[in-house]
Amino acid sequence: MIKDKVRVKTFKIDDVAVTGRSDSTILEVAKEHGIHIPTLCYLEGLSCVGACRMCIVEIKGSSKLIPSCTAKIKEDMEVITNSSRLIKHRKMILSMIFAERTHTCSVCVSNGHCELQSQATDIGLEHSLVPYIHKGFDVDASHKEYVYDPNRCILCTRCVRVCSEVEGAHALDILGRGISAKIIHDMDEPWSTSESCTSCGKCVQVCPTGALFEKGASATEMVKKKSIVTNLIQARKNK
Amino acid sequence: MIESLEELLAHALKKKESEKNSHEELRVCIGSSCASLGADELKKGLKTKVKDENLDKQCSVKGVGCNGLCSAAIMVSHYDKEKELETIYGGVEQNDIDDLVGIIKDKSSLENKKCDMNEPFFTKQKKIVLENAGVIDPDDIDDYIAHGGYIALFTALEEMRPEDIINEVKVSGLRGRGGGGYPTGLKWETVAKVESNQKYIVCNGDEGDPGAFMDRAVMEADPHKIIEGMALCAYACGADKGYIYVRAEYPEAVKKLNKAIKQARNNGILGNQIANSGFNFDLEVRLGGGAFVCGEATALVTSIEGNRGQPRQKPPHLSNSGLWGEPTILNNVETFANIAPIIKNGGEWYSSMGTKNSTGTKVFALTGNIKNTGLVEVPMGITLRELIYDIGGGVTDDKPLKAIQTGGPSGGCIPEELLDIKVDYDSLKEVGSIMGSGGLIVMDENSNMLEVARFFMEFSKDESCGKCVPCRVGTTELTNLLDKFVKKEASKSDFQLLKDMCEVVKESSLCGLGQAAPNPVLSTIKYFENEYLEGIKDD
């Protein structure tokens, strides 16, 4: 089979000259070149929604901030990933996530294995910059193997996307608007009664926090294996 | 079926002939404001009375769309066809039916309810979008045709190439009336140039700004004008399918549009081989559930596709990947309503009105502490002072004016000292507000600007879809902070946090809702900072 011609674009990220396939995003090229851009809602292989806004970058010549996970590369563009403005914004956005729901790490099942916690450590966020506004949701422990705690959910929708795009079940979706938005099973039913859930556990493995976790495991064992999902996606692509 | 311009003109003539014995018209406004006060019953009663008095051959009674002066609802106008003279009566009630019929008999009747047609409210307006509002019966396609409707479309199909239409729109200088102000001709040209077997035209009738009802009035008063504008756009851009997205809270507009679409289809104005030209175009109305965010372009098309109405990151823009991934034109109701007049009269005619960068006219919904609440259409470049004091009649109870809120939740508050600025896209932006879709709320000296800011932030908070963090959490945090200021419980650090958070929400939100949500706060901080400082508690 003759493959389509791959067109390549050359541009700069943080003053480093890089190249990437013309259909790549800034984030993908940055990863290829070992340049770190923080992400939360992004997961390799799933569709990109640009929702968490942690991966925002600046483009020289433009005052706008754009999410690198959805922005396609352009020839000669100059991307800045770590300006003081970006760091200030990311700190505030991360603070907002912490303030939105309960992320008391010391009592979280994912303490030490949480992407949100890691982001805070990396960025140097020692305390929330904004007041806590959490109202409280009921925990759903009805499933025989897994638990869903909406209080630790950051609405990254990785679970919704993996269930829909990889497992093909679409057992999960979002209910409500704004601050009341919540991930639900089927028509907001207890997880155990969901007829579309296949109990595959992919949602649990891709969840970046302690919102979805396995029953019976201790905090130290609560390591998510998101590579299972990304490897599966890659394997299907190569088929 | 009308198959040519010649047949269309003959159709118009036939309608006029059928009414040749009727020299007068009594036009009852049945727009939503008047209808809520019983305009339909008034019209029925009037019709019966006119017939009983054997005056029905001399004078027809018809329901028309919004006449504009909602503060004087129910409005009835008397039109003398020979003299081309219209007299408007305001505050008409059921028990005025006898006197209304008296107008036909002796012209001196109902003098106390007669509006002074020399008032600036009537003389300073320039009606293009609203030219048929209050004049034609929106339920009657023949009335639209008799008033020059569909001439632009049939002329274009017979005599113009698609690029000629785009050129006229470009020459007109028309900018999107939904709020963004993007040049309409340029948008159309982009989609026209994209190669695709399928393109869509979408009309945004999802008006959700508090205090705004411009688009509702146009949809209710003149639905065929929107259809004609969309058909011209489709011809220019190579599309054959269109959707009008209307919020379900506008049942009258939905009814009128559906009826108009059916009438247009029955007359061969929508469907296949329109005017024997090889041009096919059809339309459908899609109902929105009333989510404000669905007025945002990407959320709107997502909603039409049947998904949860959430925005997505641009690019790709709709011109490349819109409805079902196909190139799509999205304009709002008022933009489409400007198209037929532009094609009929030429782009230069349109650009001769208004200012250099904001041509033509703009429809505003005047509300708040203003005497003449209602719908007005004014040339761009008119000053805010003329708009408020001449056309609007000034502040209620002649109180001092404090501020004017333009652009809805995405806009800002303009203080009294800037009353002499011109009303155009650039001038409003310069002072920290926006044109928006045209909601204009007047506030007198008793208004508390902190409460105004909180009201709009609370609205944005309630309407945030929840997809991106800065909008979802930021609008809630900002509402809570503003609440502290209103209650005079804020600290100095809260003021800094308020400003910092506004910056983050504005610069990092995903779509226009979040990006614009801090505007009412930022503009009130700019012009009324003392009120914020007064909201800080003493240590």
Side-chain angles (χ1 to χ4, degrees):
Chain A
M1 191 177 77
I2 300 168
K3 285 191 177 176
D4 285 343
K5 270 185 192 171
V6 177
R7 296 183 194 283
V8 173
K9 290 187 175 170
T10 308
F11 63 106
K12 279 183 179 172
I13 303 179
D14 297 334
D15 276 334
V16 177
V18 293
T19 56
R21 286 174 62 114
S22 54
D23 57 354
S24 306
T25 62
I26 295 170
L27 183 68
E28 284 166 347
V29 180
K31 272 174 164 270
E32 284 164 18
H33 291 81
I35 300 166
H36 176 68
I37 300 175
T39 58
L40 276 173
C41 66
Y42 171 82
L43 187 77
E44 194 182 333
L46 296 183
S47 61
C48 293
V49 287
C52 73
R53 316 306 278 178
M54 287 302 290
C55 73
I56 46 171
V57 293
E58 289 180 39
I59 308 288
K60 259 189 198 167
S62 167
S63 59
K64 283 188 177 175
L65 301 177
I66 57 160
S68 55
C69 67
T70 60
K72 294 273 191 265
I73 61 168
K74 283 181 186 164
E75 187 71 25
D76 291 334
M77 77 197 302
E78 290 186 47
V79 181
I80 303 153
T81 70
N82 54 8
S83 68
S84 56
R85 179 185 175 210
L86 287 170
I87 291 166
K88 194 178 149 205
H89 278 45
R90 282 186 198 135
K91 270 191 173 176
M92 180 72 90
I93 292 167
L94 206 56
S95 277
M96 287 179 180
I97 300 175
F98 273 100
E100 187 185 15
R101 297 193 177 176
T102 315
H103 297 290
T104 318
C105 304
S106 57
V107 292
C108 179
V109 289
S110 284
N111 189 17
H113 308 292
C114 166
E115 287 183 43
L116 181 66
Q117 189 184 38
S118 305
Q119 294 278 353
T121 311
D122 287 352
I123 213 165
L125 190 77
E126 294 159 341
H127 60 276
S128 176
L129 306 171
V130 298
Y132 288 98
I133 52 175
H134 181 239
K135 296 281 187 285
F137 293 103
D138 291 338
V139 176
D140 183 352
S142 63
H143 193 278
K144 64 180 188 306
E145 289 173 64
Y146 312 118
V147 181
Y148 166 45
D149 181 359
N151 301 297
R152 300 194 188 281
C153 172
I154 60 168
L155 291 168
C156 67
T157 68
R158 280 191 198 172
C159 54
V160 177
R161 285 175 282 152
V162 80
C163 185
S164 166
E165 297 167 15
V166 183
E167 178 62 9
H170 205 138
L172 294 159
D173 217 316
I174 309 161
L175 172 80
R177 280 187 207 168
I179 207 80
S180 307
K182 186 188 153 197
I183 303 293
I184 52 162
H185 291 90
D186 287 359
M187 303 295 278
D188 197 16
E189 290 152 28
W191 197 347
S192 60
T193 62
S194 168
E195 289 183 3
S196 51
C197 175
T198 60
S199 298
C200 71
K202 290 188 182 71
C203 55
V204 176
Q205 299 309 325
V206 300
C207 176
T209 68
L212 291 168
F213 59 93
E214 289 171 27
K215 273 184 181 170
S218 69
T220 48
E221 296 167 323
M222 202 63 68
V223 182
K224 304 285 175 72
K225 304 168 198 79
K226 63 183 183 188
S227 57
I228 292 176
V229 175
T230 49
N231 290 345
L232 175 65
I233 295 166
Q234 198 55 50
R236 284 183 188 174
K237 260 188 197 168
N238 294 339
K239 195 179 166 186
Chain B
M1 296 296 254
I2 304 168
E3 295 186 338
S4 65
L5 180 61
E6 202 182 348
E7 282 183 31
L8 184 83
L9 296 172
H11 198 88
L13 203 63
K14 196 175 155 196
K15 168 77 175 169
K16 284 178 187 162
E17 279 288 312
S18 71
E19 294 177 346
K20 70 175 181 189
N21 294 325
S22 168
H23 302 297
E24 294 170 76
E25 272 180 0
L26 277 174
R27 300 165 174 171
V28 183
C29 175
I30 49 164
S32 287
S33 301
C34 289
S36 64
L37 294 172
D40 281 326
E41 290 75 34
L42 181 79
K43 191 188 85 182
K44 276 180 204 158
L46 201 53
K47 266 195 164 173
T48 312
K49 182 74 180 166
V50 167
K51 201 170 182 187
D52 290 347
E53 298 265 340
N54 285 324
L55 294 166
D56 53 331
K57 288 211 165 52
Q58 174 192 341
C59 178
S60 57
V61 178
K62 68 179 184 184
V64 293
C66 185
N67 235 322
L69 195 56
C70 299
S71 51
I74 303 170
M75 298 193 78
V76 178
S77 71
H78 172 256
Y79 185 66
D80 187 325
K81 290 183 184 173
E82 281 175 4
K83 291 182 189 162
E84 293 186 354
L85 185 71
E86 187 181 33
T87 315
I88 299 179
Y89 299 85
V92 181
E93 295 161 5
Q94 292 286 341
N95 53 18
D96 289 326
I97 288 179
D98 288 351
D99 290 334
L100 277 169
V101 176
I103 298 170
I104 313 167
K105 292 180 184 165
D106 79 73
K107 311 291 179 209
S108 62
S109 184
L110 216 61
E111 284 295 308
N112 60 329
K113 294 196 171 175
K114 195 189 256 186
C115 298
D116 182 357
M117 300 302 284
N118 293 317
E119 283 279 319
F121 180 85
F122 297 106
T123 58
K124 279 206 165 184
Q125 288 197 52
K126 172 79 189 164
K127 295 197 173 182
I128 296 171
V129 171
L130 300 175
E131 63 183 344
N132 291 331
V135 175
I136 65 162
D137 178 356
D139 282 329
D140 184 6
I141 188 172
D142 293 342
D143 209 12
Y144 180 70
I145 292 171
H147 282 83
Y150 290 119
I151 287 181
L153 177 63
F154 278 73
T155 309
L157 292 177
E158 289 187 11
E159 297 169 9
M160 296 171 84
R161 297 169 303 165
E163 52 266 41
D164 298 332
I165 295 178
I166 290 173
N167 192 43
E168 284 304 326
V169 177
K170 281 174 85 177
V171 169
S172 77
L174 177 68
R175 292 169 69 172
R177 297 295 193 241
Y182 191 78
T184 306
L186 193 61
K187 189 188 265 188
W188 289 18
E189 191 174 52
T190 311
V191 170
K193 281 181 179 170
V194 177
E195 280 186 27
S196 174
N197 291 330
Q198 182 66 61
K199 296 177 187 177
Y200 294 104
I201 309 297
V202 180
C203 176
N204 180 356
D206 189 65
E207 185 174 53
D209 303 26
F213 53 93
M214 301 77 55
D215 291 347
R216 184 191 73 195
V218 177
M219 290 186 280
E220 286 177 358
D222 203 1
H224 285 285
K225 202 170 198 180
I226 303 162
I227 297 172
E228 188 174 4
M230 290 182 75
L232 281 161
C233 176
Y235 176 60
C237 301
D240 64 1
K241 180 81 190 167
Y243 293 92
I244 309 179
Y245 188 82
V246 190
R247 51 177 40 220
E249 289 99 323
Y250 284 176
E252 200 54 38
V254 172
K255 213 166 99 185
K256 294 269 187 291
L257 285 165
N258 275 323
K259 192 165 186 179
I261 289 170
K262 208 172 165 189
Q263 287 174 344
R265 271 192 208 129
N266 290 343
N267 283 281
I269 294 167
L270 286 177
N272 291 335
Q273 304 291 327
I274 299 168
N276 278 327
S277 64
F279 168 59
N280 307 329
F281 181 61
D282 209 347
L283 266 177
E284 258 180 66
V285 172
R286 283 289 167 101
L287 297 188
F292 180 68
V293 73
C294 287
E296 198 276 339
T298 57
L300 192 152
V301 299
T302 308
S303 177
I304 292 181
E305 288 168 1
N307 301 311
R308 178 180 160 93
Q310 281 192 322
R312 60 160 173 74
Q313 185 71 39
K314 287 190 280 189
H317 293 279
L318 298 193
S319 50
N320 271 313
S321 177
L323 204 50
W324 291 293
E326 303 293 351
T328 301
I329 292 268
L330 177 73
N331 281 130
N332 92 322
V333 168
E334 193 181 331
T335 312
F336 281 125
N338 270 302
I339 301 302
I342 288 172
I343 300 305
K344 199 152 63 171
N345 301 301
E348 279 183 20
W349 161 82
Y350 195 82
S351 65
S352 68
M353 290 172 281
T355 63
K356 191 177 167 234
N357 293 323
S358 300
T359 58
T361 59
K362 177 80 191 84
V363 180
F364 287 98
L366 299 181
T367 52
N369 306 123
I370 190 161
K371 285 179 186 167
N372 300 334
T373 54
L375 210 63
V376 297
E377 185 173 359
V378 292
M380 291 276 197
I382 193 170
T383 65
L384 266 179
R385 188 182 296 282
E386 285 172 281
L387 187 54
I388 305 301
Y389 283 95
D390 295 346
I391 295 173
V395 180
T396 322
D397 300 328
D398 292 322
K399 283 183 182 164
L401 176 83
K402 186 169 184 179
I404 301 150
Q405 213 279 347
T406 72
S410 314
C413 293
I414 300 166
E416 192 268 344
E417 58 263 30
L418 294 176
L419 260 187
D420 289 309
I421 63 156
K422 287 180 172 181
V423 177
D424 62 52
Y425 289 99
D426 306 325
S427 306
L428 290 175
K429 204 172 171 188
E430 255 172 49
V431 298
S433 193
I434 57 163
M435 180 81 78
S437 54
L440 207 141
I441 304 169
V442 176
M443 289 172 274
D444 68 19
E445 60 173 355
N446 296 331
S447 308
N448 179 333
M449 302 316 285
L450 293 175
E451 286 184 5
V452 171
R454 185 185 58 176
F455 168 80
F456 283 108
M457 190 52 73
E458 198 158 12
F459 179 84
S460 297
K461 179 199 87 177
D462 291 343
E463 296 296 337
S464 167
C465 75
K467 182 173 179 178
C468 78
V469 178
C471 177
R472 182 177 76 230
V473 188
T475 53
T476 307
E477 291 279 6
L478 284 168
T479 307
N480 293 348
L481 270 178
L482 288 166
D483 208 41
K484 283 172 90 174
F485 280 91
V486 171
K487 291 178 180 161
K488 297 192 189 301
E489 289 172 0
S491 63
K492 280 179 188 163
S493 60
D494 284 335
F495 194 38
Q496 190 54 49
L497 180 61
L498 185 79
K499 289 194 270 191
D500 288 348
M501 212 154 18
C502 279
E503 190 188 335
V504 172
V505 175
K506 190 182 170 85
E507 292 186 353
S508 55
S509 287
L510 193 157
C511 82
L513 193 155
Q515 287 161 9
N519 283 352
V521 186
L522 292 169
S523 65
T524 45
I525 289 177
K526 186 175 177 185
Y527 297 115
F528 304 95
E529 191 181 11
N530 58 323
E531 293 191 30
Y532 281 88
L533 299 176
E534 283 165 16
I536 295 173
K537 69 179 173 201
D538 296 327
D539 292 326

